[in-house]
């Protein structure tokens, strides 16, 4: 399957990265919010903004994909993920709750785009391979289940706020 349709391998890896990000994000966003917030009652606001970002982005991403093609829409979504990761890292180094909240809003947009990976897989294969292509992409989540806990444990020492 991967040799005939190399994009399926890329989409499966993208799905694994998305789920790793999602698993780690859900586990750590509230904790980092708690460390950064000036008011403990706002500790879960970043996680709330992640969901809001997802909701705000989904319709726009669908429209972009209709107008520009699925690949360009997925690239925009991935760009949101990169920007969110860089902003979140900066927020942790700077101990900025506001910047962390903005990063989570963008991360929600990235998460919205990842829901389209399986549709991209269906677009790229002939009819008899559609089921298998979708399975490979969605199965990328299994790889994430193996990767995410290890990544989260290793990441604890990467940022000073995480160790504090």
């Amino acid at each position: 399957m991967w040799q005939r349709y190399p994009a399926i391998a890329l989409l499966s890896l993208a799905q694994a990265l998305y789920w790793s990000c999602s698993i780690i994000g859900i586990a750590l966003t509230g904790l980092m919010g708690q460390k950064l917030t000036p008011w403990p009652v706002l500790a879960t606001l970043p996680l709330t903004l992640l969901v809001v970002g997802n909701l705000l982005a989904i319709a726009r991403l669908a429209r972009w994909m209709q107008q520009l093609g699925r690949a360009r829409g997925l690239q925009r979504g991935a760009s949101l993920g990169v920007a969110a990761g860089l902003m979140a890292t900066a927020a942790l180094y700077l101990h900025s709750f506001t910047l962390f909240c903005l990063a989570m809003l963008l991360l929600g947009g990235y998460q919205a785009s990842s829901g389209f990976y399986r549709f991209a897989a269906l677009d790229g294969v002939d009819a008899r391979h559609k089921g298998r292509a979708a399975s490979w992409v969605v199965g990328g989540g299994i790889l994430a289940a193996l990767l995410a806990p290890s990544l989260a444990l290793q990441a604890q020492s990467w940022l000073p706020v995480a160790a504090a």
Side-chain angles (χ1 to χ4, degrees), residues 4-101:
R4 185 169 179 185
Y5 302 107
I8 301 302
L10 184 60
L11 288 166
S12 183
L13 179 60
Q15 185 79 359
L17 291 172
Y18 156 69
W19 277 111
S20 295
C21 172
S22 191
I23 292 166
I24 293 168
I26 289 170
L28 297 180
T29 300
L31 295 173
M32 291 300 103
Q34 182 182 17
K35 288 186 180 273
L36 296 174
T37 184
W39 304 289
V41 72
L42 296 178
T44 57
L45 179 62
L47 190 55
T48 302
L49 290 172
L50 190 145
V51 174
V52 169
N54 190 314
L55 293 172
L56 292 174
I58 196 89
R60 282 195 173 112
L61 284 166
R63 213 171 16 255
W64 284 340
M65 288 183 200
Q66 283 179 335
Q67 294 169 352
L68 305 173
R70 201 172 308 276
R72 300 255 320 260
L74 292 176
Q75 289 169 353
R76 285 186 178 189
S79 296
L80 288 174
V82 170
L86 292 172
M87 282 177 70
T89 301
L92 294 176
Y93 273 112
L94 298 171
H95 296 274
S96 172
F97 183 70
T98 303
L99 187 59
F100 190 68
C101 286

